[in-house]
Amino acid sequence: MSEAIRTEIYADNAATTKMSDAAIEAMLTVMKEQYGNPSSLYSVGQNAKEILEKAREEIASVINASPSEIIFTSGGSEADNQAIRSAAETGRKNGKMHIISTAFEHHAVLHTLKRLESEGFEVTLLDVHEDGIVRVEELEKAIREDTCLVTVMFANNEIGTIQPIREIGAVCRAKGVLFHTDAVQAVGHVPIDVKELNVDMLSSSAHKFHGPKGIGFLYAKKGVRITNLIEGGAQEGGKRAGTENVAAVAGMAAALKETASRMTENAAHMTEMRDRLIDGLIKIPHSALNGDRARRLPGNTNFCFEGIEGESLLLLLDDRGICASSGSACTSGSLDPSHVLLAIGRVHDVAHGSLRLTVGEDITAEQVDYMIRNVTEVVEYLRSFSPVWRDLMSGKTQFIL
Ligand SMILES: *Cc1c(COP(=O)(O)O)cnc(C)c1O
């Protein structure tokens, strides 16, 4: 195959997505024509302000929030930090310094909680079980008099499992505890109605739904006290200082409007392709799907293959034009196995041989079949000279999967 017609299948949509044409066009228009500062009073500034507020309305309507409940941030990480820090600050004032979360959250949540622990907070991390789903009964039992926040992600970024958000929201509401959800993987991909779900705070990031990188938003229900991480001017209702990234906000709104309008068709197609991929990969001997098969994001596939090293798998797949991941982009490059896979009970050796393929809306059946064929071949090839595999085959060590 010549370089010019080299296959390229982008199957890492959980790490980031390709920007949509609608998002790019919206950004270009702003960058070329709406260059004013939204805080300026002359019309060039007010035009930019109008773009900003129209985007806020469009974004709010997708999750059934009010525009005044949307705070633009630099992305999902900032939104997570701000939500958790805000709840912690309120908690500290009320003498409530206990927070509940789960063991498989994104590091933007886990590292913020670690920091709060060093500042005197107590954190309970719930088990997510083998299927990658939090149990609502266990969460309910963990809530104490001094609990100030429950933060549970909507859908996991590595294994795609979708959490019982509505039930968790109901429990938190009944107990009067603030509920935040990191919905970065869910917004634009699954229907979200913050009122129906009883969510108090929700984090989102544009680059996970075909918008630009470096922009996101925090939904904070009216009445929830938000403290700012960045001090300065009075932008974003005084909750997030700094001149707004108008172009990125416009790009985010355009991307979200488009993905939200096609959500049902997209989800149906991606689910079909995901299931085809799972059915093909599960045939590889000594492999296992990570996370519940049905309660997962439409595009997420995550497997463990015994006797191989995830990193070598990724490099060989790259040679064959497949962009894949062994887990989250934030942990690749480190040799530690994924904290998500460890949280669902995979042992170190097995967790090392993981592969995440997250397909997008435009994936085809031919591309899925190409991935099945090539992953199968590469796993077989890597096992052919793996000492770990040899020991497993000779019976010197026991298979786990
Ligand atoms: C990508 C991601 C984040 C971080 O979002 P950024 O915009 O990259 O900061 C947080 N949480 C989850 C679940 C994610 O997938």
Side-chain angles (χ1 to χ4, degrees):
M1 207 183 291
S2 82
E3 271 304 305
I5 53 159
R6 184 178 180 269
T7 306
E8 189 177 293
I9 301 176
Y10 185 71
D12 202 13
N13 285 274
T16 196
T17 57
K18 184 180 173 184
M19 275 183 73
S20 66
D21 290 342
I24 294 171
E25 276 157 31
M27 289 186 79
L28 283 175
T29 307
V30 173
M31 288 190 282
K32 287 181 180 165
E33 295 160 24
Q34 321 286 354
Y35 53 84
N37 185 323
S39 297
S40 301
L41 295 179
Y42 42 77
S43 52
V44 174
Q46 288 309 295
N47 290 346
K49 174 86 178 160
E50 242 171 68
I51 303 267
L52 200 64
E53 296 316 318
K54 185 162 164 279
R56 201 186 305 278
E57 276 167 34
E58 286 172 351
I59 288 166
S61 82
V62 171
I63 60 166
N64 195 24
S66 303
S68 62
E69 295 173 316
I70 304 293
I71 300 167
F72 296 130
T73 65
S74 67
S77 300
E78 185 185 330
D80 282 341
N81 275 258
Q82 189 164 20
I84 295 167
R85 284 244 158 232
S86 297
E89 192 147 315
T90 303
R92 191 191 289 280
K93 281 194 187 119
N94 299 329
K96 296 183 172 194
M97 295 183 64
H98 176 236
I99 298 173
I100 299 169
S101 189
T102 77
F104 77 161
E105 296 295 312
H106 190 273
H107 284 135
V109 168
L110 288 178
H111 291 174
T112 304
L113 294 176
K114 261 268 163 295
R115 182 68 76 89
L116 287 171
E117 273 182 326
S118 75
E119 295 171 16
F121 283 83
E122 196 184 325
V123 175
T124 301
L125 294 183
L126 297 169
D127 186 10
V128 287
H129 300 262
E130 231 181 282
D131 57 5
I133 313 266
V134 173
R135 300 295 185 269
V136 181
E137 318 81 72
E138 292 175 15
L139 181 129
E140 190 163 10
K141 276 200 206 113
I143 295 179
R144 315 190 310 211
E145 277 300 306
D146 64 341
T147 305
C148 63
L149 173 70
V150 167
T151 173
V152 174
M153 70 199 317
F154 206 113
N156 184 267
N157 48 303
E158 290 188 36
I159 59 173
T161 49
I162 297 174
Q163 304 307 309
I165 296 300
R166 180 194 313 270
E167 291 79 0
I168 296 172
V171 165
C172 292
R173 189 56 49 89
K175 300 247 182 186
V177 177
L178 279 177
F179 175 38
H180 164 251
T181 184
D182 172 343
V184 173
Q185 290 290 332
V187 172
H189 301 284
V190 297
I192 296 178
D193 178 327
V194 287
K195 296 204 171 68
E196 198 184 280
L197 296 174
N198 282 323
V199 165
D200 295 307
M201 290 179 285
L202 174 146
S203 307
S204 177
S205 177
H207 76 100
K208 304 289 175 72
F209 53 74
H210 304 286
K213 293 167 185 59
I215 190 78
F217 67 88
L218 170 64
Y219 155 77
K221 189 178 142 86
K222 189 168 186 283
V224 171
R225 274 190 69 92
I226 296 298
T227 44
N228 40 356
L229 302 179
I230 299 172
E231 305 285 353
Q235 293 92 353
E236 297 301 298
K239 300 305 175 200
R240 208 281 185 176
T243 303
E244 302 87 341
N245 190 345
V246 185
V249 168
M252 169 161 69
L256 187 56
K257 211 167 123 179
E258 188 174 58
T259 47
S261 72
R262 297 184 189 161
M263 199 182 287
T264 314
E265 305 93 276
N266 284 346
H269 173 66
M270 285 157 77
T271 302
E272 190 189 332
M273 292 300 110
R274 174 200 75 193
D275 289 344
R276 186 183 181 104
L277 188 54
I278 292 175
D279 288 336
L281 296 180
I282 205 88
K283 294 202 182 93
I284 297 175
H286 304 285
S287 68
L289 177 70
N290 293 312
D292 191 84
R293 181 169 173 147
R295 284 176 291 173
R296 66 195 301 131
L297 288 168
N300 178 288
T301 310
N302 190 313
F303 269 87
C304 279
F305 303 108
E306 204 158 358
I308 63 157
E309 192 56 64
E311 302 288 306
S312 358
L313 180 58
L314 295 187
L315 293 176
L316 290 173
L317 289 178
D318 182 37
D319 284 344
R320 294 165 181 236
I322 300 170
C323 308
S325 157
S326 63
S328 81
C330 324
T331 40
S332 64
S334 86
L335 282 173
D336 292 336
S338 143
H339 70 287
V340 173
L341 297 180
L342 296 180
I344 62 165
R346 295 285 183 224
V347 298
H348 278 241
D349 287 353
V350 168
H352 270 301
S354 65
L355 175 71
R356 179 183 73 182
L357 294 165
T358 44
V359 300
E361 290 81 356
D362 53 1
I363 191 82
T364 65
E366 290 70 36
Q367 289 177 320
V368 168
D369 294 345
Y370 177 87
M371 288 196 282
I372 295 169
R373 204 162 57 240
N374 282 280
V375 172
T376 307
E377 281 174 18
V378 170
V379 167
E380 214 167 278
Y381 169 72
L382 286 171
R383 281 174 173 172
S384 71
F385 56 81
S386 154
V388 177
W389 183 253
R390 196 175 50 227
D391 287 349
L392 288 164
M393 291 305 279
S394 70
K396 201 169 153 199
T397 53
Q398 296 291 309
F399 280 108
I400 296 162
L401 300 179

